[in-house]
Amino acid sequence: MEFLTKHKKIFIIVMTILCLFLIVFTLNPSGFSKTLRSAVGIIINPVSGAVSGAVYWAGDRIGFISQMNSLHDRVRELEDENSRLTIENTRLQEAKEEIEKLSELLRIKNEYADYPTVGAKIIGKEPVDSYDAYKINKGENDGLKVNMVALAPGGLMGMVRECNTFDSVVVSLIDDRSSIAAMCSRTNDKGFVKGDSELMRQGLCLMEYIDIDAQILPGDEILTSPLSAYYPPGIIIGRVKEVALDNNRLTKHAIIEPSVSLSHLETILIITQEFNTTASG
């Protein structure tokens, strides 16, 4: 009784609802069944929908995670393949460049086929930050001697100045110790191509003692002269960059840009034949 007294309002509501259900059931039993099912549906359907939604969501998430893992593995495979192809492409590019360099040396060798030659690899520079002297991996054991001529893609590179058993030092044509009897291919005007300490820093050299009446012009090709003591005639030295009158007003000089790219040399060709040393240059 004490419980009913405390929860009187709730008891009255429950009893009222129960009476209404009994009245509906008495008047229309089938309708009561439908009403009950509807009431149950109102309660169950949202819960069922929520559970179904949760199941579908979980399934989608699991599928998404599975796809992401699969994509991650595929991306990693593609990255590995890309790295492999990059390395392979680099190797092929290096091989191509090496073939091109060797092909150019072969072309020079064929161009000067009348002279015996030996290929040499540059293994150092003296000093390191210049382009006037190079150390090569061939020496006396390979038939090299001092004053032998060095060629490279483009034409004349320089001359052997120091020869050891297994290596040598080649001085380039821009070194201030170099002097070459030269001529203009277009006009046959003569002069001497020499290294100059100032021009050497720019990768250039100087042609001196050109006759005042010489018609040498910028762009003209300069070759080794038949009068040269150490160099075979007709080897390309470079091209005239500019021409100027000397202070004595009796001769001209020209600045020459070598035809050989001294800053990109890796291999050169040494003519192993010694030439007449009685003349100068």
Side-chain angles (χ1 to χ4, degrees), residues 118-130:
V118 61
K121 187 175 181 63
I122 292 174
I123 56 176
K125 290 190 291 185
E126 300 179 354
V128 176
D129 60 347
S130 70

Side-chain angles (χ1 to χ4, degrees), residues 170-213:
V170 177
V171 173
S172 74
L173 56 90
I174 67 172
D175 186 89
D176 55 11
R177 292 168 289 180
S178 175
S179 179
I180 309 163
M183 59 180 287
C184 175
S185 63
R186 183 177 63 85
T187 66
N188 286 332
D189 289 309
K190 309 293 191 298
F192 282 85
V193 172
K194 303 178 68 175
D196 179 87
S197 57
E198 293 296 325
L199 292 174
M200 184 170 60
R201 299 172 185 172
Q202 305 173 49
L204 305 173
C205 50
L206 188 67
M207 185 171 178
E208 296 184 319
Y209 308 119
I210 303 171
D211 190 83
I212 187 67
D213 296 322

